[in-house]
Amino acid sequence: MPSTVEIKRIGAVLCDEARPLPERFRALFTLRNLGGETAIDYIVECFSDQSALLKHECAYCLGQMQDKYAIPKLVTVLKDTKQDTMVRHEAGEALGAIGCNSVMGILKEYCNDPIIEVAETCQLAVERIEWLHSKEKQKESSKNPFSSVDPAPPLTEEDLVVLQRKLLDEKLPLFDRYRAMFSLRNINSDASALALAEGLKCSSALFRHEIAYVLGQMQNAAGIKQLKCNLQQEDENPMVRHECAEALGSIAAQECLHTLQDFTQDKEVVVRESCEVALDMLQYEQSEDFQYADTLVKLS
């Protein structure tokens, strides 16, 4: 286990705004993997950063770490209307990922936030926590092959046609559609990736952004065409375009490289920064490097 001094050195890399963003992202994920209060303190420090993309990723990592120590700061970020929508959304999702009943009050309060992406996120977080403490949860034993903490559990259904129908049915509760989404992701085939890609045409920006995220997790080239389409649409929500860019970086095909290079000068800062980070991820995926979160090794 790294010493406190080593964790502080990694934290210094994360918080150094003069360093390239991809380098800071690698430091962030190194801290996420190490865990502990010192690591969280450095991640939390970045919520005053200029980059909404980095702050959003910090909130995501705090949720994945599932450490209650981060809850007070995540609540503060959710409440802060001066923060970018994607940062507040991710703070709400992180509170749902940590899964404590103690945050139900604040999440329910923000289920009616005027920003629809924040409201929908808090609604999902409430339903996830309710599910965690339900009898249904005790009966289910589904495993997540991607080892991520997701905003909704997968369904036990395995029929692609049924799952896609639920995924695209905008009359169903968003939580149910998310469950279908993660079921399709876990199947992880060309057919399930294509079914998911159809979700990038749905009306909810939050939903489209999550579709892009899971397509990136799958790293299946079948999703490239629709991901590129949404990234290329200038009128698409920036949080969706950003997630499409990062997904293309994870898939790491050659055509992804050219697309990402084309958008490194996009007018939206979060899209430009996402392409920069995605190109670093693509380079990692095409390399023989042992791990992406390699800051500790580099500092050593």
Side-chain angles (χ1 to χ4, degrees):
M1 180 68 187
S3 67
T4 301
V5 171
E6 289 174 312
I7 293 174
K8 287 182 176 180
R9 290 178 66 202
I10 299 165
V13 173
L14 169 63
C15 296
D16 186 352
E17 295 190 39
R19 289 179 181 266
L21 201 55
E23 187 177 344
R24 298 175 72 194
F25 262 62
R26 290 190 181 225
L28 170 60
F29 281 88
T30 302
L31 290 174
R32 183 199 70 173
N33 292 348
L34 293 173
E37 293 186 3
T38 303
I40 290 174
D41 285 338
Y42 277 101
I43 295 172
V44 161
E45 189 175 327
C46 281
F47 282 122
S48 60
D49 199 87
Q50 295 297 308
S51 170
L53 179 68
L54 180 64
K55 289 186 287 188
H56 143 279
E57 209 72 26
C58 285
Y60 168 77
C61 285
L62 291 175
Q64 296 298 299
M65 293 164 81
Q66 293 189 296
D67 191 322
K68 296 177 184 178
Y69 180 70
I71 288 177
K73 185 60 181 182
L74 288 167
V75 169
T76 299
V77 173
L78 174 61
K79 289 180 174 180
D80 187 358
T81 55
K82 293 181 181 178
Q83 289 280 11
D84 189 276
T85 294
M86 64 188 290
V87 181
R88 293 182 64 216
H89 133 73
E90 204 65 58
E93 186 169 299
L95 289 170
I98 295 170
C100 291
N101 269 324
S102 62
V103 299
M104 287 292 271
I106 190 68
L107 287 172
K108 287 180 178 179
E109 179 183 342
Y110 283 89
C111 282
N112 297 310
D113 194 88
I115 305 298
I116 186 63
E117 292 84 7
V118 174
E120 289 181 338
T121 298
C122 291
Q123 291 160 20
L124 286 164
V126 166
E127 291 194 71
R128 180 181 189 274
I129 295 173
E130 289 176 342
W131 175 82
L132 279 174
H133 299 278
S134 69
K135 291 182 180 179
E136 180 187 1
K137 167 67 168 67
Q138 311 310 319
K139 296 176 183 177
E140 294 186 10
S141 59
S142 59
K143 293 184 179 180
N144 178 357
F146 295 90
S147 301
S148 54
V149 184
D150 300 320
L155 295 168
T156 55
E157 175 66 60
E158 295 182 354
D159 186 289
L160 282 176
V161 175
V162 173
L163 288 171
Q164 186 179 32
R165 185 169 66 243
K166 290 183 177 181
L167 179 84
L168 303 178
D169 186 351
E170 302 203 33
K171 294 179 182 178
L172 287 177
L174 199 57
F175 190 72
D176 294 344
R177 297 173 66 204
Y178 264 55
R179 296 195 69 177
M181 180 193 307
F182 289 109
S183 297
L184 287 165
R185 178 202 64 184
N186 291 354
I187 292 170
N188 199 12
S189 64
D190 288 355
S192 69
L194 288 170
L196 281 164
E198 288 299 306
L200 284 169
K201 303 172 185 177
C202 290
S203 62
S204 165
L206 181 72
F207 187 76
R208 296 196 303 275
H209 128 283
E210 197 70 22
I211 289 283
Y213 168 76
V214 300
L215 287 172
Q217 282 188 303
M218 293 169 73
Q219 298 182 295
N220 190 309
I224 290 176
K225 181 179 179 181
Q226 193 60 51
L227 286 166
K228 286 173 61 177
C229 179
N230 284 58
L231 173 60
Q232 291 164 349
Q233 294 172 14
E234 292 187 0
D235 59 347
E236 172 63 283
N237 188 299
M239 71 184 288
V240 180
R241 296 183 68 212
H242 121 75
E243 206 67 68
C244 289
E246 292 198 3
L248 290 169
S250 294
I251 295 170
Q254 199 62 24
E255 62 179 303
C256 299
L257 170 66
H258 300 312
T259 300
L260 291 169
Q261 289 173 333
D262 288 344
F263 285 90
T264 52
Q265 302 300 318
D266 194 84
K267 65 180 182 180
E268 292 285 351
V269 175
V270 70
V271 175
R272 293 201 303 270
E273 290 183 342
S274 294
C275 289
E276 182 183 354
V277 170
L279 285 167
D280 181 58
M281 174 58 77
L282 186 148
Q283 182 180 10
Y284 159 73
E285 291 290 348
Q286 293 184 346
S287 73
E288 296 182 0
D289 292 349
F290 177 66
Q291 60 181 355
Y292 172 74
D294 60 355
T295 307
L296 180 61
V297 174
K298 288 181 175 177
L299 289 175
S300 298

